[in-house]
Amino acid sequence: MPYLLTRRNSTHYYGVDNLTKALERPDGVGLLTVSNHVSTIDSASLPSPVVSFRDLLNPRNCGFWNLAREDQTSETTLKAMIVALVKIMPVWRGGGVHQIAVTNFIARVRNGEWGHIFPEGRTYQVGVHKRH
């Protein structure tokens, strides 16, 4: 994935030193990161070129918990299995903040794990304005 992001595309990372410092947080201190994204694979691929292998060996930094739209996480049985393995929790559009996945996500971060969100809730496509 790093090859695709850094050699085949122009991907720019800002504040990598801040992320590196945050990954070295004390035990029991959660980490919440926020970013925008362009495609549905950004969740898994964006941190790979900037997070060191040493940091990934630490269980609390080995991937982050993420929230994703339910209809994108369970289209097929295979997709649902992959989503569970890569720490994605399904949320329902219009379901409000009082959903079990949101509660679990908050609990994970409070317990010292890494959580990541894409607050705009959609992928960005130039010239396309689409509501879900």
Side-chain angles (χ1 to χ4, degrees):
M1 201 55 77
Y3 172 77
L4 291 174
L5 289 170
T6 59
R7 301 287 190 265
R8 302 295 297 165
N9 292 292
S10 57
T11 304
H12 303 281
Y13 295 93
Y14 301 96
V16 173
D17 53 333
N18 295 327
L19 176 61
T20 303
K21 289 176 191 171
L23 290 173
E24 296 171 4
R25 66 199 183 280
D27 286 339
V29 174
L31 174 61
L32 178 64
T33 53
V34 180
S35 71
N36 291 330
H37 64 117
V38 177
S39 75
T40 55
I41 66 164
D42 287 351
S43 172
S45 61
L46 284 176
S48 59
V50 296
V51 177
S52 72
F53 187 69
R54 178 185 58 86
D55 286 326
L56 288 176
L57 290 177
N58 184 333
R60 67 194 177 129
N61 293 334
C62 185
F64 47 72
W65 290 98
N66 202 338
L67 299 171
R69 234 176 52 217
E70 184 273 334
D71 61 331
Q72 289 187 332
T73 61
S74 60
E75 294 169 334
T76 66
T77 303
L78 178 61
K79 194 171 189 179
M81 290 170 43
I82 292 170
V83 162
L85 289 172
V86 295
K87 298 183 171 181
I88 296 176
M89 299 179 186
V91 293
W92 284 261
R93 291 246 179 217
V97 296
H98 302 290
Q99 299 182 42
I100 190 72
V102 176
T103 302
N104 288 341
F105 181 83
I106 292 168
R108 297 264 183 196
V109 174
R110 283 185 177 162
N111 288 327
E113 295 187 50
W114 182 4
H116 184 80
I117 57 172
F118 297 107
E120 80 284 355
R122 65 178 176 84
T123 54
Y124 178 74
Q125 297 173 356
V126 176
V128 176
H129 299 284
K130 178 169 80 170
R131 290 189 57 89
H132 297 286

